[in-house]
Every structure is written in C-alpha cells, then in structure tokens.
C-alpha cells in the first residue's frame, strides 16, 4: 500500500510539473509572487465532496517529499492545515500555530486544485493538486504544481481530529 501511494505521488508530481494550474475556471497564469505577506480575501467555499473533506478536522503532512532535499523533507513532517468553509485556514507545525490565510478550490485538468494563500508568510503560499483516493476522508495526496514555491513537492496527508503532536508520531 505504501509503495502504491508513493508511486501515485510520483506520477502526480510529474504531471503537475508539466502544466499550468487554473483556478475557478480562469485560464490565466497563477498570481505573481508577493513581496509582503498578505492573503487574498476569503471567499466562502462552494459545497462539494472535496470541500466537505478539506474542512473536516486537521490535515497533517505525514510524508513530505521535496525532490532533492531530504533534510527539509523530514523537517516538514507534522505541518498541518485546518480549513474552514468561510475560505479561511490556519496552519502550523506540530502543536504550534504558524499563521492564517485564505484558500480556494478550483480545477486543474479536471482534478481539484487547492490554492493556499498565507497572510503570514509567503513561503507557505502553495498550489496543490489534490487526490482523495477512495474519498474515505482519512488520507489524501497533495502535489505542488510548478507555480508553487516548492514545485514538485509530494505529500501524503492524513486527517486527524486534533493538532498533531510529536508524541503521536513517535518523535518524542
């Protein structure tokens, strides 16, 4: 199962690196990089199967693979998102909250594209191609598109009810 999920992540990363994302049906390129941290105005999410899953509890980066940077890949385990239906989100690392921002769900070649816009730190702005697998709501894969600061990053996400702790994941 782990090898299958990893293979899917690699395939999704390769596909994400080839194409430009579209959000909410727009055909233009992604917005230019911001020089100061600010987030786009939050817009209430449209109800769908994907938004119901995204807004359920906390999405935690269980595996975070940055091609060519294994050290940073290990450090980023334990990052998390908490999405709200009003278009806002909170993010953090282990027990600590790091910031807030806005998010929206669009479409990229028929697949869900999650745009995460931090109001605190521009390095957390990302475009994620997401795949919920069997839609059980327990795990998903996120792959950063080429327009993201960490293009090609592949992640296995798990859904848990509370902020993650190092102890839960065996790091303490």
């Amino acid at each position: 199962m782990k090898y299958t999920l990893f293979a899917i992540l690699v395939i999704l990363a390769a596909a994400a690196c080839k194409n430009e994302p579209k959000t909410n049906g727009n055909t233009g390129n992604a917005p230019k990089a911001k020089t100061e941290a600010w987030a786009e105005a939050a817009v209430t999410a449209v109800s769908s199967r994907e938004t119901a899953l995204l807004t359920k509890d906390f999405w935690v980066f269980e595996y975070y693979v940055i091609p060519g940077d294994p050290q940073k890949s290990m450090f980023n385990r334990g990052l998390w998102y908490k999405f709200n239906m009003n278009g806002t989100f909170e993010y953090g690392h282990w027990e600590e909250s790091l910031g807030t921002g806005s998010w929206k769900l669009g479409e990229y070649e028929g697949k869900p594209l999650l745009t995460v816009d931090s109001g605190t730190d521009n390095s957390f702005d990302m475009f994620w191609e997401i795949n919920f697998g069997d839609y059980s709501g327990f795990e998903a894969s996120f792959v950063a598109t080429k327009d993201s600061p960490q293009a090609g990053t592949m992640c296995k996400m798990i859904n848990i009810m509370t902020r993650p702790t190092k102890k839960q994941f065996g790091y303490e």
Side-chain angles (χ1 to χ4, degrees):
M1 180 67 182
K2 288 182 186 177
Y3 294 110
T4 303
L5 183 58
F6 186 75
I8 291 170
L9 287 173
V10 170
I11 291 167
L12 289 174
C17 290
K18 291 180 184 175
N19 300 301
E20 302 217 4
K22 295 182 210 176
T23 58
N24 294 335
N26 294 330
T27 57
N29 292 335
K32 302 270 187 234
K34 300 179 289 188
T35 55
E36 284 184 32
W38 56 272
E40 295 288 332
V43 176
T44 301
V46 176
S47 291
S48 69
R49 197 157 87 171
E50 288 81 11
T51 56
L53 290 171
L54 282 173
T55 57
K56 181 180 179 268
D57 304 320
F58 291 80
W59 283 97
V60 181
F61 293 85
E62 183 179 25
Y63 295 101
Y64 195 109
V65 180
I66 302 171
D69 196 344
Q71 196 170 36
K72 194 170 185 180
S73 296
M74 287 297 291
F75 173 77
N76 285 333
R77 285 185 180 174
L79 288 172
W80 53 266
Y81 291 132
K82 173 68 175 122
F83 299 105
N84 304 304
M85 279 299 290
N86 68 1
T88 63
F89 77 101
E90 180 182 3
Y91 63 96
H93 193 221
W94 300 120
E95 297 90 354
E96 182 182 358
S97 177
L98 298 176
T100 60
S102 63
W103 69 276
K104 61 185 171 184
L105 192 61
E107 192 174 284
Y108 173 63
E109 296 185 353
K111 299 173 189 154
L113 177 72
L114 174 64
T115 301
V116 176
D117 191 8
S118 170
T120 314
D121 183 346
N122 290 342
S123 66
F124 282 93
D125 293 353
M126 296 291 277
F127 299 101
W128 294 110
E129 184 179 323
I130 57 176
N131 183 333
F132 288 107
D134 65 0
Y135 283 86
S136 66
F138 297 112
E139 61 187 17
S141 65
F142 284 29
V143 178
T145 69
K146 72 177 187 172
D147 294 315
S148 292
Q150 296 175 6
T153 298
M154 300 169 284
C155 304
K156 177 185 175 204
M157 307 291 286
I158 59 172
N159 188 267
I160 63 175
M161 293 175 67
T162 61
R163 289 182 185 178
T165 66
K166 288 182 178 181
K167 187 174 184 177
Q168 279 176 300
F169 288 80
Y171 292 109
E172 198 174 87

